[in-house]
Amino acid sequence: MSEKEPIRVMAVDDHEVVRGGIRYALLAYDDVELVAETDDGQDAIRLCQQARPDVVLMDLMMPGMHGVEITRALREQYPHGQILVLSSFLDMDLVRRAMQAGAIGYLLKGVSNEELVEAIRAAHEGRLVLVQEAMAALVEAATPAPRLGDDLSDREREVLALLAQGLSNKAIAERLFLSVATVKYHVRLILSKLGARSRAEAVALAWQHNLIEHGEE
């Protein structure tokens, strides 16, 4: 029975020191092998066809062709290989763009040799690889921004609907069996939460963002 072939790795980074560190780190492991390296994005595309790596370690801040664009091109032209970003920067937009371009993981260059090799193994198996900070950035990016008025309480919505009917604070207080002071407090909260400078602007925003049912006017 033949031994399992080592995972073929290519390093794309414009810093010789980084590529040398990767080269040295992988020498200690029998199941991974550095088969190619380059400091140029266009050259990475050519080398990928020749070396046929299983995993590409990709720096993003490359001169000329950005690492995100290289990642996208490699995934389109060589879908067999997995792209594992190895970057000095953790930026939410960079993480999002790299993953959208087809990267399977995002690591920071401070990872240990063992962590790097474990990530290469995981990427080769098709498993998502993200440092904790990158995962948090992706979750934050995927979380939709709250809609205007989502934080209004039920009572504030009641007061807002009565404001839309043109009622005064006193009339609202009588309708809802509240004190005038309490109504004024709710009105202040409504203006603050909607970013409105006046009652009229708050009502206009309420109509614009469907915060009031049409039967409530």
Side-chain angles (χ1 to χ4, degrees), residues 193-205:
K193 290 180 179 181
L194 297 184
R197 291 164 293 184
S198 67
R199 296 158 69 103
E201 185 178 358
V203 170
L205 287 170

Side-chain angles (χ1 to χ4, degrees), residues 75-102:
R75 290 298 293 161
E76 289 175 353
Q77 299 180 36
Y78 189 64
H80 164 74
Q82 299 287 4
I83 313 296
L84 184 57
V85 172
L86 189 60
S87 177
S88 301
F89 305 96
L90 181 61
D91 176 87
M92 186 169 65
D93 184 58
L94 274 180
V95 175
R96 178 182 56 79
R97 289 170 55 203
M99 302 306 286
Q100 287 178 343

Side-chain angles (χ1 to χ4, degrees), residues 4 7-8 31-32 54-55 75 80-84 104 117-129:
K4 189 176 181 180
I7 301 169
R8 300 169 64 82
D31 62 333
V32 291
D54 299 305
V55 178
R75 290 298 293 161
H80 164 74
Q82 299 287 4
I83 313 296
L84 184 57
I104 199 169
V117 172
E118 282 298 325
I120 291 171
R121 291 167 180 155
H124 183 235
E125 294 172 1
R127 292 187 280 124
L128 182 68
V129 183

Side-chain angles (χ1 to χ4, degrees), residues 70-194:
I70 304 170
T71 296
R72 182 174 291 108
L74 289 179
R75 290 298 293 161
E76 289 175 353
Q77 299 180 36
Y78 189 64
H80 164 74
Q82 299 287 4
I83 313 296
L84 184 57
V85 172
L86 189 60
S87 177
S88 301
F89 305 96
L90 181 61
D91 176 87
M92 186 169 65
D93 184 58
L94 274 180
V95 175
R96 178 182 56 79
R97 289 170 55 203
M99 302 306 286
Q100 287 178 343
I104 199 169
Y106 196 107
L107 295 178
L108 295 177
K109 288 181 178 177
V111 297
S112 67
N113 292 349
E114 183 62 32
E115 288 172 324
L116 176 61
V117 172
E118 282 298 325
I120 291 171
R121 291 167 180 155
H124 183 235
E125 294 172 1
R127 292 187 280 124
L128 182 68
V129 183
L130 289 172
V131 292
Q132 186 174 357
E133 298 89 343
M135 178 66 78
L138 275 183
V139 170
E140 182 179 347
T143 302
R147 293 187 312 132
L148 184 70
D150 276 356
D151 55 346
L152 290 174
S153 68
D154 291 341
R155 177 64 80 186
E156 288 159 1
R157 288 176 181 274
E158 287 181 314
V159 172
L160 182 57
L162 295 175
L163 285 176
Q165 295 179 29
L167 273 62
S168 65
N169 288 344
K170 182 179 179 182
I172 294 174
E174 292 173 353
R175 181 77 66 89
L176 299 178
F177 305 101
L178 300 172
S179 69
V180 173
T182 299
V183 172
K184 287 181 178 179
Y185 171 73
H186 285 307
V187 171
R188 285 198 301 272
L189 285 179
I190 291 168
L191 296 184
S192 175
K193 290 180 179 181
L194 297 184

